[in-house]
Amino acid sequence: MKAIRVAQYGQPEGFVFEELPSPVPGKGEVLIEVAGSGVNPIDWKVLSGAMKAFIPLELPYTPGVEVAGRVAAVGDDVRGFSVGDEVFSFINIVGGYATEVLASADRLAHRPGRLSALQASGIPAVALTAWQALHEHAQIKPGQTVLIHGAAGGVGSMAVQMARIAGATIIATASARNHEYLRELGASQVIDYTQTPFETVVDSVDVVLDLVGGDTQTRSWSVLKPGGVLVSPVSPPDAAQAEAVGATGKHFAARSDGAQLQKIAALFETGDLVIEVEVLPLSQAEGALRKSWGRHTRGKLVLDASL
């Protein structure tokens, strides 16, 4: 197998594309022959060393949290998956930028037939993040109004569609070039954050999904109605600010959940959910990661393991 390897924390210019022995699945694990790997902001956070205090890694390591591909081998006590099955998965916090990976079977779902493997490789982490934000933490309901910051990115574009499916009215913030894209996904109102402060044109929303953090999160309290919820996987909401406006703030880290991912897969199978991907070769992981971090793409950036 081949894999991108990182010898030290810091910047991605130290990436090396190496040959490694193929791993062998243990109890409850499958070996996936990778077709594509998703690129996510968490890959940057791990690389920077910001998470090493609570997620220590043995160096060198392989970045990447999500993949799609074919089951090449199964370990003992694996049920529901067989050699040859097309799958996708939020595999772990690392390991995905490779041509083969191991994953626990309970983290896998069968790939929707209407999607290519490369499209599917960009789904698991962002779709699970959006699903858990809206359904578990915000407990979204039909008829509510949801404001989504950073709506054109991987998580945001999933959240816009999931909120639409849930029967909510969606307000999105994004740069002007992504407005039509977000309207097509289901946003009723799109605000160009570079030109218009959202708080001057929005008020009384039920849910804010903050995918930006910082000043954007701070300013969001003023647009929530009493009893509203601000959810962010980016940074913890301030409890005092939440209390001051009679709202609730929630911070969470998305978890891998194969059963939940299978429910999401069904929505892709029916066409209720769609994904837009930009593809780069696995060997160009360094450039892909820089592009993702700089937010110079919409939808999802994925790495083709065959190139």
Side-chain angles (χ1 to χ4, degrees):
M1 62 171 283
K2 291 183 177 180
I4 297 294
R5 302 291 280 169
V6 177
Q8 62 184 12
Y9 293 114
Q11 297 295 313
E13 59 265 10
F15 282 9
V16 178
F17 200 30
E18 289 187 355
E19 291 273 358
L20 297 171
S22 293
V24 177
K27 184 177 179 180
E29 292 182 326
V30 303
L31 176 66
I32 303 172
E33 184 180 284
V34 177
S37 309
V39 179
N40 293 278
I42 188 65
D43 302 339
W44 262 108
K45 291 181 181 179
V46 173
L47 174 63
S48 72
M51 304 179 71
K52 63 183 178 181
F54 43 97
I55 305 179
L57 298 174
E58 183 177 340
L59 300 174
Y61 80 94
T62 296
V65 304
E66 61 184 354
V67 302
R70 184 183 68 86
V71 175
V74 299
D76 293 337
D77 294 340
V78 170
R79 295 176 176 83
F81 299 97
S82 303
V83 172
D85 285 356
E86 295 290 335
V87 297
F88 65 148
S89 175
F90 180 178
I91 56 167
N92 205 334
I93 202 68
V94 295
Y97 292 8
T99 58
E100 294 179 346
V101 301
L102 289 178
S104 296
D106 60 4
R107 294 173 179 257
L108 267 62
H110 293 279
R111 170 166 65 86
R114 69 186 294 152
L115 296 182
S116 71
L118 287 176
Q119 288 174 312
S121 70
I123 291 170
V126 294
L128 286 168
T129 301
W131 182 277
Q132 291 164 20
L134 293 174
H135 292 288
E136 294 184 359
H137 300 286
Q139 298 184 346
I140 189 173
K141 298 176 179 63
Q144 289 187 324
T145 299
V146 180
L147 171 62
I148 301 174
H149 294 305
V155 176
S157 59
M158 288 293 111
V160 168
Q161 297 175 79
M162 291 177 183
R164 182 203 73 223
I165 293 167
T169 297
I170 302 120
I171 304 170
T173 63
S175 59
R177 64 190 177 92
N178 290 318
H179 285 200
E180 186 57 33
Y181 168 63
L182 290 169
R183 290 190 182 96
E184 290 172 359
L185 295 182
S188 300
Q189 180 182 356
V190 188
I191 301 164
D192 183 354
Y193 67 89
T194 69
Q195 299 295 323
T196 305
F198 64 86
E199 65 271 28
T200 65
V201 293
V202 176
D203 63 10
S204 298
V205 304
D206 298 282
V207 175
V208 172
L209 175 53
D210 167 40
L211 303 172
V212 177
D215 179 63
T216 296
Q217 183 180 109
T218 300
R219 290 156 48 212
S220 293
W221 295 111
S222 66
V223 306
L224 275 166
K225 63 173 57 172
V229 182
L230 187 155
V231 179
S232 179
V234 177
S235 58
D238 185 274
Q241 291 178 313
E243 184 178 3
V245 297
T248 301
K250 296 187 178 184
H251 177 245
F252 75 103
R255 69 181 189 281
S256 182
D257 185 323
Q260 200 170 76
L261 185 58
Q262 200 64 63
K263 293 179 182 179
I264 293 168
L267 294 173
F268 279 98
E269 196 67 83
T270 59
D272 290 306
L273 287 176
V274 298
I275 186 169
E276 181 174 326
V277 299
E278 180 180 350
V279 181
L280 289 173
L282 178 59
S283 58
Q284 294 181 18
E286 175 184 330
L289 197 55
R290 289 188 183 280
K291 186 170 186 177
S292 172
W293 183 252
R295 302 179 186 272
H296 297 312
T297 187
R298 76 182 191 188
K300 197 65 186 292
L301 196 58
V302 302
L303 299 170
D304 187 337
S306 69
L307 300 176

